[in-house]
């Protein structure tokens, strides 16, 4: 029977839990943890967190190899925060939609929407994010990121 408290609340998934998840805010934040027991004893500690924003365009891979070797078999967008709305679309060079998803950790396995293996080549992706917040936990405008990815089997 302990009582827990974390502060500040920025980037935390829970302020009264013993175990927390800290989402990247792109800022350096010192979090304070306080614990009380039933006798009224108190313990305090702090941790300094150096973080980057959840999503960073520089982390998007530019090549993947869906050849079932267990290495780079899926093209996915890393670092999308759980609270952000997300969509990923992949197009071939003629603008035909090859893949689409709104699930954060669901990447493209190199197959067409019909389930066939896509050919080696360059594909165009569009990532849309909404629900993002800035370093002060204030909403920011929706973002669209576009680029190319090379599929090599």
């Amino acid at each position: 029977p302990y009582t827990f408290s974390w502060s500040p609340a920025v980037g935390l998934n829970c302020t009264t839990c013993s175990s927390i998840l800290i989402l990247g805010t792109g800022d350096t934040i010192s979090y304070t943890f306080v614990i009380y027991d039933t006798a009224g004893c108190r313990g305090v500690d702090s941790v300094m967190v150096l973080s980057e924003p959840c999503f960073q365009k520089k982390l998007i891979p530019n090549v993947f190899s869906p050849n079932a070797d267990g290495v780079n078999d899926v093209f996915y967008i890393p670092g999308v925060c759980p609270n952000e709305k997300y969509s990923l679309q992949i197009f071939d060079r003629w603008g035909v939609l090859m893949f689409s998803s709104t699930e954060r950790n669901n990447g493209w396995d190199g197959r067409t929407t019909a389930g066939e293996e896509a050919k080696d080549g360059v594909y165009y992706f569009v990532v849309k994010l909404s629900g993002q917040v800035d370093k002060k936990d204030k909403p920011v405008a929706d973002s669209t990121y576009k680029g190319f990815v090379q599929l090599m089997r």
Side-chain angles (χ1 to χ4, degrees):
Y2 295 98
T3 305
F4 308 99
S5 174
W6 288 89
S7 64
V10 174
L12 298 180
N13 68 331
C14 179
T15 59
T16 58
C17 299
S18 61
S19 178
I20 61 166
L21 174 66
I22 301 173
L23 301 176
T25 62
D27 208 356
T28 299
I29 299 175
S30 178
Y31 290 96
T32 302
F33 176 70
V34 182
I35 182 171
Y36 295 94
D37 67 10
T38 54
C41 293
R42 177 182 148 195
V44 179
D45 204 349
S46 62
V47 61
M48 181 75 66
V49 176
L50 310 169
S51 72
E52 294 185 356
C54 292
F55 177 81
Q56 298 175 61
K57 187 174 182 181
K58 68 183 178 186
L59 297 179
I60 298 175
N62 62 355
V63 65
F64 78 117
S65 57
N67 56 8
D69 67 354
V71 180
N72 298 322
D73 286 333
V74 176
F75 173 75
Y76 76 101
I77 307 300
V80 178
C81 285
N83 58 325
E84 296 173 347
K85 291 186 173 97
Y86 159 85
S87 74
L88 169 63
Q89 295 178 305
I90 308 285
F91 299 91
D92 70 10
R93 62 181 169 180
W94 295 281
V96 175
L97 181 66
M98 304 297 282
F99 174 81
S100 180
S101 179
T102 57
E103 295 179 33
R104 188 167 59 95
N105 292 321
N106 187 28
W108 183 39
D109 64 0
R111 297 189 174 277
T112 67
T113 54
E116 299 172 4
E117 287 188 354
K119 295 179 181 176
D120 284 12
V122 177
Y123 293 84
Y124 182 70
F125 68 83
V126 178
V127 177
K128 293 182 182 179
L129 298 171
S130 62
Q132 295 176 293
V133 293
D134 66 12
K135 294 178 183 179
K136 295 181 181 174
D137 221 19
K138 303 251 191 254
V140 297
D142 295 354
S143 304
T144 300
Y145 301 91
K146 302 172 183 178
F148 296 94
V149 61
Q150 173 82 35
L151 184 157
M152 294 174 34
R153 293 201 188 275

